[in-house]
PDB file of all heavy atoms in Angstrom:
ATOM      1  N   VAL A 301      30.157  39.748 -18.378  1.00 98.00           N
ATOM      2  CA  VAL A 301      30.224  39.777 -16.913  1.00 98.00           C
ATOM      3  C   VAL A 301      28.892  39.323 -16.321  1.00 98.00           C
ATOM      4  O   VAL A 301      28.854  38.521 -15.376  1.00 98.00           O
ATOM      5  CB  VAL A 301      30.599  41.192 -16.423  1.00 98.00           C
ATOM      6  CG1 VAL A 301      30.450  41.305 -14.913  1.00 98.00           C
ATOM      7  CG2 VAL A 301      32.014  41.531 -16.851  1.00 98.00           C
ATOM      8  N   ARG A 302      27.812  39.829 -16.880  1.00 98.00           N
ATOM      9  CA  ARG A 302      26.481  39.450 -16.392  1.00 98.00           C
ATOM     10  C   ARG A 302      26.223  37.952 -16.589  1.00 98.00           C
ATOM     11  O   ARG A 302      25.695  37.282 -15.698  1.00 98.00           O
ATOM     12  CB  ARG A 302      25.415  40.268 -17.116  1.00 98.00           C
ATOM     13  CG  ARG A 302      23.977  39.885 -16.768  1.00 98.00           C
ATOM     14  CD  ARG A 302      23.680  40.061 -15.298  1.00 98.00           C
ATOM     15  NE  ARG A 302      22.242  39.957 -15.021  1.00 98.00           N
ATOM     16  CZ  ARG A 302      21.728  39.785 -13.812  1.00 98.00           C
ATOM     17  NH1 ARG A 302      22.543  39.665 -12.767  1.00 98.00           N
ATOM     18  NH2 ARG A 302      20.425  39.732 -13.628  1.00 98.00           N
ATOM     19  N   ALA A 303      26.596  37.439 -17.732  1.00 98.00           N
ATOM     20  CA  ALA A 303      26.382  36.015 -17.996  1.00 98.00           C
ATOM     21  C   ALA A 303      27.140  35.158 -16.987  1.00 98.00           C
ATOM     22  O   ALA A 303      26.600  34.171 -16.457  1.00 98.00           O
ATOM     23  CB  ALA A 303      26.811  35.676 -19.422  1.00 98.00           C
ATOM     24  N   LYS A 304      28.378  35.533 -16.692  1.00 98.00           N
ATOM     25  CA  LYS A 304      29.144  34.752 -15.720  1.00 98.00           C
ATOM     26  C   LYS A 304      28.583  34.931 -14.317  1.00 98.00           C
ATOM     27  O   LYS A 304      28.549  33.975 -13.529  1.00 98.00           O
ATOM     28  CB  LYS A 304      30.622  35.143 -15.761  1.00 98.00           C
ATOM     29  CG  LYS A 304      31.467  34.303 -14.806  1.00 98.00           C
ATOM     30  CD  LYS A 304      32.946  34.630 -14.865  1.00 98.00           C
ATOM     31  CE  LYS A 304      33.715  33.839 -13.820  1.00 98.00           C
ATOM     32  NZ  LYS A 304      35.163  34.185 -13.804  1.00 98.00           N
ATOM     33  N   SER A 305      28.158  36.135 -13.992  1.00 98.00           N
ATOM     34  CA  SER A 305      27.574  36.382 -12.670  1.00 98.00           C
ATOM     35  C   SER A 305      26.387  35.463 -12.421  1.00 98.00           C
ATOM     36  O   SER A 305      26.271  34.841 -11.353  1.00 98.00           O
ATOM     37  CB  SER A 305      27.133  37.848 -12.564  1.00 98.00           C
ATOM     38  OG  SER A 305      26.243  38.042 -11.488  1.00 98.00           O
ATOM     39  N   LEU A 306      25.508  35.366 -13.396  1.00 98.00           N
ATOM     40  CA  LEU A 306      24.336  34.502 -13.238  1.00 98.00           C
ATOM     41  C   LEU A 306      24.745  33.037 -13.154  1.00 98.00           C
ATOM     42  O   LEU A 306      24.175  32.260 -12.373  1.00 98.00           O
ATOM     43  CB  LEU A 306      23.365  34.725 -14.390  1.00 98.00           C
ATOM     44  CG  LEU A 306      22.665  36.086 -14.385  1.00 98.00           C
ATOM     45  CD1 LEU A 306      21.881  36.286 -15.681  1.00 98.00           C
ATOM     46  CD2 LEU A 306      21.749  36.236 -13.178  1.00 98.00           C
ATOM     47  N   ALA A 307      25.748  32.655 -13.953  1.00 98.00           N
ATOM     48  CA  ALA A 307      26.215  31.269 -13.907  1.00 98.00           C
ATOM     49  C   ALA A 307      26.837  30.948 -12.550  1.00 98.00           C
ATOM     50  O   ALA A 307      26.617  29.860 -11.997  1.00 98.00           O
ATOM     51  CB  ALA A 307      27.221  31.021 -15.033  1.00 98.00           C
ATOM     52  N   LEU A 308      27.605  31.879 -12.000  1.00 98.00           N
ATOM     53  CA  LEU A 308      28.219  31.667 -10.685  1.00 98.00           C
ATOM     54  C   LEU A 308      27.177  31.554  -9.581  1.00 98.00           C
ATOM     55  O   LEU A 308      27.251  30.653  -8.729  1.00 98.00           O
ATOM     56  CB  LEU A 308      29.174  32.819 -10.365  1.00 98.00           C
ATOM     57  CG  LEU A 308      30.511  32.863 -11.095  1.00 98.00           C
ATOM     58  CD1 LEU A 308      31.194  34.208 -10.866  1.00 98.00           C
ATOM     59  CD2 LEU A 308      31.429  31.730 -10.639  1.00 98.00           C
ATOM     60  N   THR A 309      26.220  32.456  -9.585  1.00 98.00           N
ATOM     61  CA  THR A 309      25.224  32.426  -8.521  1.00 98.00           C
ATOM     62  C   THR A 309      24.297  31.220  -8.666  1.00 98.00           C
ATOM     63  O   THR A 309      23.892  30.617  -7.668  1.00 98.00           O
ATOM     64  CB  THR A 309      24.433  33.745  -8.466  1.00 98.00           C
ATOM     65  OG1 THR A 309      23.968  34.098  -9.775  1.00 98.00           O
ATOM     66  CG2 THR A 309      25.310  34.877  -7.948  1.00 98.00           C
ATOM     67  N   ASP A 310      23.974  30.832  -9.905  1.00 98.00           N
ATOM     68  CA  ASP A 310      23.214  29.597 -10.118  1.00 98.00           C
ATOM     69  C   ASP A 310      23.981  28.400  -9.547  1.00 98.00           C
ATOM     70  O   ASP A 310      23.414  27.541  -8.855  1.00 98.00           O
ATOM     71  CB  ASP A 310      22.979  29.354 -11.610  1.00 98.00           C
ATOM     72  CG  ASP A 310      21.802  30.131 -12.179  1.00 98.00           C
ATOM     73  OD1 ASP A 310      20.981  30.641 -11.395  1.00 98.00           O
ATOM     74  OD2 ASP A 310      21.717  30.233 -13.420  1.00 98.00           O
ATOM     75  N   PHE A 311      25.268  28.336  -9.867  1.00 98.00           N
ATOM     76  CA  PHE A 311      26.093  27.200  -9.447  1.00 98.00           C
ATOM     77  C   PHE A 311      26.242  27.171  -7.922  1.00 98.00           C
ATOM     78  O   PHE A 311      26.205  26.098  -7.304  1.00 98.00           O
ATOM     79  CB  PHE A 311      27.455  27.275 -10.130  1.00 98.00           C
ATOM     80  CG  PHE A 311      28.319  26.064  -9.937  1.00 98.00           C
ATOM     81  CD1 PHE A 311      27.881  24.806 -10.341  1.00 98.00           C
ATOM     82  CD2 PHE A 311      29.570  26.173  -9.357  1.00 98.00           C
ATOM     83  CE1 PHE A 311      28.677  23.683 -10.167  1.00 98.00           C
ATOM     84  CE2 PHE A 311      30.371  25.057  -9.178  1.00 98.00           C
ATOM     85  CZ  PHE A 311      29.930  23.808  -9.592  1.00 98.00           C
ATOM     86  N   PHE A 312      26.393  28.341  -7.320  1.00 98.00           N
ATOM     87  CA  PHE A 312      26.514  28.391  -5.861  1.00 98.00           C
ATOM     88  C   PHE A 312      25.234  27.857  -5.204  1.00 98.00           C
ATOM     89  O   PHE A 312      25.293  27.048  -4.267  1.00 98.00           O
ATOM     90  CB  PHE A 312      26.779  29.821  -5.407  1.00 98.00           C
ATOM     91  CG  PHE A 312      26.944  29.975  -3.917  1.00 98.00           C
ATOM     92  CD1 PHE A 312      28.010  29.388  -3.259  1.00 98.00           C
ATOM     93  CD2 PHE A 312      26.034  30.705  -3.171  1.00 98.00           C
ATOM     94  CE1 PHE A 312      28.168  29.525  -1.881  1.00 98.00           C
ATOM     95  CE2 PHE A 312      26.175  30.850  -1.805  1.00 98.00           C
ATOM     96  CZ  PHE A 312      27.255  30.260  -1.154  1.00 98.00           C
TER      97      PHE A 312
END
Side-chain angles (χ1 to χ4, degrees):
V301 171
R302 176 60 168 165
K304 183 178 176 183
S305 163
L306 291 172
L308 286 169
T309 49
D310 278 345
F311 188 58
F312 181 65

